[in-house]
Amino acid sequence: MKNFVETSIESIRSQVGDGRVICGLSGGVDSAVVAALVSRAIGSRLTCIFVDTGLMRKNEIDSVAKVFRENFDANLVVVDAEERFLSLLKDVDDPQEKRKIIGKTFIDVFTEEAHKVDGAKFLAQGTIWPDVVESGGEEGAPAKTVKYHHNVGGLPEDMEFELVEPLRKLYKNEVRQVGLELGLPEELVWRHPFPGPGLAVRCLGPVSKPDLDCLREADAIVVEEITKAGLYRETSQVFAVLLPVRSVGAKNGERTYEKAVVVRCIATQDFMEANWYPVPYEVLAKISSRILSEVDGVNRVAYDISSKPPATIEWE
Ligand code: XMP
């Protein structure tokens, strides 16, 4: 019996014929697995688009580009849209308003780039079974033009692309399995989910480049120390949040008045309910001392011990 990878490759080939396909990469496992499958099926007739919103984690773009170079025989377009996103987000305080701006701007940027790909008729995306269920889609429904599912907020219905959705019937753990079969790196396959609006919902209040840079550094330390302690696979999401409050501290005998970082580590099965994760004190101590000594503008670190509900996983 043929396995999922072989069957998918055949069905992608028969759906797209000699057409060109575009695929948005997010840095997450679903879009990477789709891109890997489609690139196996049609090679360089696939163009992947990665939008750099300026709200990504540290080294995100380089690591996506590296995985891409090593695993795909396809074209990659990285769109630097940081300035566009940050100028539209300037002084915007309300979390939902921030999400709306990011969602709309993402659509605008992605659509502009997609239309630059000559002759592209198909859009491959990483819709998985829980997405189909959540959006009320029916099993076995033929791919239509177009009910877009995207983790930022949905792509517009008037984009004239036919959807290619090879993961539509799979659960997340099955997607990971396919990723491993396709030879994608373990760090990518087991990556924790990252929200579409990115660091904007972890940098509370209006976002700015200096604050995002500060958050990126703190966040990278959290992920690095949790990974070093062997806790990455035990946890479901681990990250830093930058608070818009300042508190008094002391450094080298001088008074400081700087921002606070919250460390959030949770474990969950379904992300509907989640428990705060009891990270050992010595790991927390390492995270705290590294953030306080390595990240400029932060003089206080707190650990979030709130489960969901009543808290949510993200702070915004
Ligand atoms: P909450 O904060 O609602 O998060 O407990 C549940 C899960 O959803 C992710 N999340 C988002 N993902 N766009 C996304 O693509 C969003 O606007 C968004 N908000 C929250 C969050 O990271 C967690 O995995």
Side-chain angles (χ1 to χ4, degrees):
M1 211 174 85
K2 285 187 180 155
N3 72 10
F4 177 85
V5 170
E6 291 167 38
T7 318
S8 296
I9 287 175
E10 272 179 20
S11 98
I12 292 165
R13 283 185 183 143
S14 93
Q15 182 184 356
V16 309
D18 59 3
R20 290 190 169 275
V21 181
I22 50 171
C23 177
L25 286 185
S26 70
V29 60
D30 302 342
S31 64
V33 170
V34 168
L37 272 175
V38 178
S39 103
R40 288 279 170 92
I42 63 164
S44 59
R45 279 185 290 122
L46 169 68
T47 298
C48 291
I49 300 173
F50 180 83
V51 178
D52 175 9
T53 59
L55 306 168
M56 321 304 288
R57 292 181 150 185
K58 191 176 176 185
N59 298 332
E60 183 93 41
I61 299 141
D62 290 348
S63 69
V64 168
K66 180 167 180 286
V67 167
F68 194 90
R69 269 198 313 275
E70 289 171 1
N71 293 277
F72 300 85
D73 169 30
N75 311 296
L76 173 65
V77 178
V78 177
V79 193
D80 178 359
E82 179 182 40
E83 260 184 59
R84 188 158 163 184
F85 277 86
L86 296 196
S87 65
L88 290 164
L89 286 167
K90 192 166 182 292
D91 299 328
V92 180
D93 187 40
D94 178 64
Q96 288 308 79
E97 193 53 33
K98 282 160 81 173
R99 273 196 172 73
K100 271 193 219 155
I101 291 169
I102 295 164
K104 177 176 182 314
T105 311
F106 185 93
I107 290 165
D108 291 347
V109 173
F110 188 87
T111 311
E112 286 162 24
E113 289 306 315
H115 285 303
K116 286 184 198 162
V117 180
D118 238 8
K121 277 190 11 208
F122 299 89
L123 174 70
Q125 52 177 24
T127 312
I128 64 173
W129 183 241
D131 303 329
V132 177
V133 173
E134 265 169 38
S135 54
E138 284 163 40
E139 188 174 6
K144 288 189 297 204
T145 358
V146 140
K147 170 97 169 63
Y148 289 93
H149 181 97
H150 183 271
N151 68 2
V152 170
L155 289 168
E157 303 214 352
D158 56 2
M159 272 178 92
E160 301 278 308
F161 293 102
E162 186 180 319
L163 290 183
V164 179
E165 296 181 311
L167 311 181
R168 221 180 138 76
K169 299 217 175 122
L170 303 191
Y171 285 98
K172 193 82 170 186
N173 56 341
E174 296 171 310
V175 175
R176 295 194 205 280
Q177 206 45 53
V178 176
L180 291 173
E181 267 178 57
L182 287 165
L184 293 177
E186 296 238 348
E187 314 87 78
L188 172 62
V189 167
W190 293 106
R191 203 148 191 228
H192 290 166
F194 185 62
L199 297 181
V201 291
R202 297 176 180 174
C203 192
L204 304 199
V207 301
S208 67
K209 179 145 168 61
D211 279 355
L212 288 164
D213 286 342
C214 166
L215 178 56
R216 261 188 277 276
E217 292 304 319
D219 183 70
I221 291 170
V222 175
V223 175
E224 202 178 306
E225 291 303 327
I226 290 290
T227 308
K228 268 198 215 157
L231 298 173
Y232 192 82
R233 290 276 297 276
E234 301 260 313
T235 49
S236 308
Q237 272 180 298
V238 298
F239 55 88
V241 178
L242 186 69
L243 300 189
V245 292
R246 290 190 291 168
S247 72
V248 175
K251 196 173 189 182
N252 304 328
E254 301 275 323
R255 178 187 187 274
T256 61
Y257 188 48
E258 293 178 320
K259 293 201 167 161
V261 160
V262 173
V263 176
R264 180 100 167 115
C265 301
I266 58 106
T268 176
Q269 293 296 326
D270 58 7
F271 297 89
M272 306 294 285
E273 295 190 348
N275 291 318
W276 63 272
Y277 188 86
V279 173
Y281 283 164
E282 61 273 19
V283 181
L284 288 176
K286 189 79 204 283
I287 291 173
S288 164
S289 72
R290 280 196 61 196
I291 291 177
L292 292 176
S293 64
E294 294 175 32
V295 183
D296 288 340
V298 174
N299 67 359
R300 199 169 290 272
V301 176
Y303 190 59
D304 184 348
I305 51 168
S306 327
S307 288
K308 173 185 179 178
T312 50
I313 295 170
E314 304 292 344
W315 273 52
E316 280 194 342

